[in-house]
Amino acid sequence: MSKTFSGSQLIKALRRIGFVVDHQRGSHIFMHNLERNISVIIPNHKEIKKGTLNNIIKKVGISIDELKELF
């Protein structure tokens, strides 16, 4: 994984696949997809760490290549 993602980029990408922002607590944004009944927490940081990003995309059910295509 050569490209790093920011929190705002990840939020925009997840919105394109049906996630909506539920609420925010500090720098963490809670997003839900009601159709698939999935919720994720996105840290709104300049750079999301590799492990955190991998856990988010695993929970959402997309690959890193699919995430790159959403930009």
Side-chain angles (χ1 to χ4, degrees):
M1 183 171 20
S2 61
K3 184 175 180 348
T4 59
F5 296 95
S6 70
S8 60
Q9 289 176 323
L10 190 54
I11 291 166
K12 287 178 186 177
L14 291 179
R15 281 186 173 165
R16 290 186 179 136
I17 59 171
F19 281 81
V20 294
V21 174
D22 182 36
H23 65 281
Q24 181 173 348
R25 186 173 211 172
S27 65
H28 291 77
I29 298 172
F30 294 71
M31 298 187 78
H32 296 288
N33 186 326
L34 298 176
E35 294 174 0
R36 296 176 15 191
N37 199 19
I38 300 173
S39 62
V40 291
I41 302 169
I42 309 297
N44 194 12
H45 300 155
K46 289 182 181 178
E47 183 177 326
I48 296 180
K49 293 182 180 179
K50 180 180 176 182
T52 305
L53 180 62
N54 286 334
N55 287 335
I56 291 170
I57 63 173
K58 182 189 285 187
K59 190 169 185 179
V60 170
I62 61 174
S63 68
I64 194 72
D65 294 327
E66 292 171 336
L67 180 62
K68 288 179 182 178
E69 289 176 8
L70 292 172
F71 291 112

